[in-house]
Amino acid sequence: MESELKGLLEKNNNTKRCAHCDKELKENYFKVLENFLQVKFYTDPEGEDNMFCSEECVLKSLFVEEMTFGKEIGFKKGAD
């Protein structure tokens, strides 16, 4: 309850926060500019769900991970 109240007060004070890790954004932030994602994935009218403190937070929020050939989830070697 206390953290929810703190979040509401900070939003009212116009504090911008990272959409992934909740770190306060100071001067710069990262934003996904791909049109499809902006229209279909990021829905906050103020754009606060598309503001990130780092490239790492953008990648984590989109579930981007490095893969190794032949070791992908659901991949069966020799399957067509």
Side-chain angles (χ1 to χ4, degrees), residues 10-77:
E10 288 175 346
K11 190 167 190 170
N12 289 337
N13 289 332
N14 216 14
T15 301
K16 302 296 183 190
R17 305 193 78 73
C18 176
H20 182 72
C21 73
D22 204 39
K23 178 180 174 185
E24 184 177 351
L25 302 173
K26 299 289 185 181
E27 295 178 17
N28 300 320
Y29 65 93
F30 291 85
K31 180 177 183 174
V32 175
L33 299 178
E34 202 282 322
N35 189 53
F36 181 81
L37 288 175
Q38 285 185 335
V39 172
K40 300 292 185 180
F41 186 69
Y42 299 109
T43 58
D44 182 69
E46 301 295 320
E48 293 186 7
D49 58 349
N50 188 11
M51 299 173 77
F52 302 94
C53 66
S54 66
E55 290 175 328
E56 182 179 352
C57 278
V58 173
L59 295 174
K60 285 182 178 180
S61 76
L62 294 173
F63 304 102
V64 176
E65 291 187 27
E66 182 178 6
M67 303 302 287
T68 302
F69 288 110
K71 295 187 179 183
E72 291 88 354
I73 297 172
F75 179 79
K76 293 183 180 177
K77 196 170 185 174

